[in-house]
Amino acid sequence: MMQFFQGYRRPNGQVGIRNHILILVIDECAEGIAQAIRQTVSECVIVTNHYTCMYGGNEELVNVMIGAALNPNVAGVLVLNMGCGSIDPSILTTPVEQAGKPARSLPVIKSNGTRQTIRQGIALARELVALAKEVPVEPVSISELLVGVKCGGSDTSSGIASNPAVGKAVDTLVDMGASCVAGELIELIGCEEILRRRAVSDTVADKIERLIFEEERRWHVPGTDVETMSIGNSVGGLTTLEEKALGALHKTGTRPIQDVLQITPTGIEKPGAPGMYLSETTHLCGAAGMHFAALGAQVILWTTGGAGFNNPIVPVIRVSGNASLITEDIDVDVSGIMSATQSVEQAATEVLSCLNQVIQGEQTAIEEVGFAFCSLYQKDQRLETLIHSQPV
């Protein structure tokens, strides 16, 4: 793993490994228009708000959209709205402009309808693409890298192979001065005592325990034996949440945990210094990609048996230890751990080698095809009141 990578320096000092133009669609009514623009200007990626276009109660969602627009992999933003909703486009464009990035706003109603909006949108998108091409690539210290870490499509190989391999890679990255952030607190139920010992302070330890408890209450139904584990996990050989959690824990490595980054209606917490972090990034795959984007991650390490997703803003590196499920979708094959022909250290070296190539500009195995929609997710504020989560 090299100490430097090639990046696009943004006006606010952040550095991206990609140079995308983002179309933010405030109202789902306008998504077809955004897709029509992208058919002509392929350099664009799209984030659509499929929740209500009313603002009250959508603050967390809006914060995630703003965070995605501020992600260092984004060079410029086109905000598209129908014009009859209550989310003012300036709520999104203002922080983008304050960060020094170009932002354009396009309301459908004021633009005289769909076809005219598409024509104007194409022109604005091309303008943004031209501005993005003016951003030079420069060598950047590894200390400016933030790597998201998540699992999905987990099976018996995950806790034995892909998670330990990525966890070892995470330790190496942190030792080199980079930052890593793991999500899906619900996947760590039962690991609280271990995580507390890794926390840098009692305050962080208490925060870890509280937020895992709150996430458990959001997803579990009191009085039932239902567990939050997919059928695919069970078919893959996982039997309990505790078994899955202890396997998932490996991907976080062993280094001290600096903080748990919260994603709330009042804002999104960001790493204050290099190191290892946990976060409220959801366990829902597509939405997790958006959470990582909002946190500022430039790339994601995804551990799996054979499944996976892509995110158009943040490249996803897929790591699998299941030899029977290795396809061209998988970036790093660590199944040698399962057959005892490869050590965890050797597998971690392969993970870091692939990561190094991706942050230098090479695409992941299927970065250009089959990506998931940029799914947005927010905690239901009515439910938050019912479970008595502590106010932020």
Side-chain angles (χ1 to χ4, degrees):
M1 188 73 188
M2 297 175 63
Q3 285 284 353
F4 295 88
F5 64 95
Q6 297 299 308
Y8 299 91
R9 179 74 64 181
R10 305 303 175 198
N12 65 351
Q14 289 183 312
V15 179
I17 64 170
R18 299 294 185 264
N19 206 29
H20 298 306
I21 297 303
L22 175 64
I23 302 179
L24 268 176
V25 188
I26 293 178
D27 317 316
E28 78 280 6
C29 319
E31 181 176 21
I33 294 173
Q35 296 293 349
I37 294 170
R38 187 180 181 278
Q39 286 178 7
T40 299
V41 189
S42 60
E43 296 90 342
C44 296
V45 297
I46 300 171
V47 172
T48 301
N49 171 20
H50 288 284
Y51 288 79
T52 171
C53 57
M54 303 302 289
Y55 183 49
N58 270 18
E59 289 83 1
E60 181 179 321
L61 195 73
V62 171
N63 285 336
V64 173
M65 288 194 284
I66 292 172
L70 294 175
N71 184 278
N73 289 348
V74 173
V77 181
L78 171 60
V79 176
L80 185 65
N81 70 306
M82 188 57 64
C84 52
S86 60
I87 300 179
D88 187 335
S90 66
I91 295 174
L92 299 163
T93 57
T94 298
V96 175
E97 291 170 340
Q98 289 174 342
K101 293 183 183 180
R104 306 289 184 265
S105 179
L106 188 59
V108 177
I109 293 175
K110 291 183 179 180
S111 299
N112 298 315
T114 298
R115 297 184 189 279
Q116 181 61 19
T117 302
I118 292 172
R119 286 191 285 269
Q120 292 183 46
I122 290 171
L124 290 174
R126 284 174 170 163
E127 175 189 340
L128 291 169
V129 168
L131 291 173
K133 290 180 178 179
E134 295 176 2
V135 181
V137 178
E138 64 180 61
V140 181
S141 168
I142 197 73
S143 64
E144 300 197 57
L145 184 67
L146 177 59
V147 180
V149 182
K150 191 189 181 308
C151 57
S154 301
D155 60 20
T156 51
S157 71
S158 296
I160 301 171
S162 56
N163 284 333
V166 165
K168 184 65 176 176
V170 163
D171 283 349
T172 301
L173 287 166
V174 171
D175 291 346
M176 293 177 68
S179 297
C180 296
V181 55
E184 51 188 0
L185 294 176
I186 199 168
E187 306 286 4
L188 297 174
I189 294 172
C191 301
E192 292 89 345
E193 184 177 339
I194 299 171
L195 293 167
R196 286 190 67 92
R197 291 199 295 267
R198 290 175 56 191
V200 297
S201 67
D202 289 340
T203 299
V204 173
D206 291 342
K207 189 177 182 182
I208 291 172
E209 195 164 3
R210 173 175 64 85
L211 292 178
I212 290 177
F213 174 71
E214 290 181 0
E215 186 72 344
E216 182 177 11
R217 295 190 69 186
R218 287 186 190 99
W219 290 95
H220 284 197
V221 181
T224 74
D225 294 327
V226 176
E227 291 189 332
T228 311
M229 190 164 72
S230 74
I231 291 176
N233 294 152
S234 300
V235 171
L238 298 176
T239 61
T240 65
L241 275 179
E242 290 77 14
E243 181 182 44
K244 182 182 179 183
L246 289 171
L249 176 66
H250 285 302
K251 72 179 183 292
T252 68
T254 62
R255 298 302 184 256
I257 297 171
Q258 305 298 318
D259 199 359
V260 188
L261 306 176
Q262 290 190 256
I263 300 170
T264 73
T266 59
I268 297 176
E269 295 178 340
K270 303 292 182 67
M276 180 64 208
Y277 293 81
L278 299 181
S279 73
E280 281 196 304
T281 297
T282 180
H283 61 296
L284 303 175
C285 298
M290 293 309 303
H291 277 172
F292 281 123
L295 289 168
Q298 298 108 324
V299 62
I300 297 169
L301 291 175
W302 168 275
T303 62
T304 186
F309 78 105
N310 276 350
N311 180 276
I313 298 173
V314 185
V316 180
I317 296 172
R318 304 181 186 195
V319 182
S320 173
N322 190 328
S324 66
L325 297 178
I326 300 296
T327 68
E328 63 180 359
D329 292 0
I330 302 300
D331 295 279
V332 187
D333 177 357
V334 296
S335 61
I337 295 175
M338 300 295 291
S339 61
T341 60
Q342 182 184 42
S343 68
V344 171
E345 290 75 15
Q346 289 170 331
T349 298
E350 292 192 18
V351 171
L352 290 170
S353 176
C354 181
L355 174 64
N356 188 63
Q357 292 171 355
V358 171
I359 65 176
Q360 301 294 356
E362 290 191 28
Q363 289 195 327
T364 63
I366 55 170
E367 185 172 339
E368 82 286 5
V369 296
F371 59 76
F373 285 106
C374 289
S375 305
L376 292 167
Y377 163 78
Q378 69 170 3
K379 297 183 288 291
D380 189 301
Q381 296 308 303
R382 295 163 295 183
L383 178 61
E384 294 301 290
T385 301
L386 291 174
I387 66 173
H388 305 293
S389 296
Q390 294 185 13
V392 179

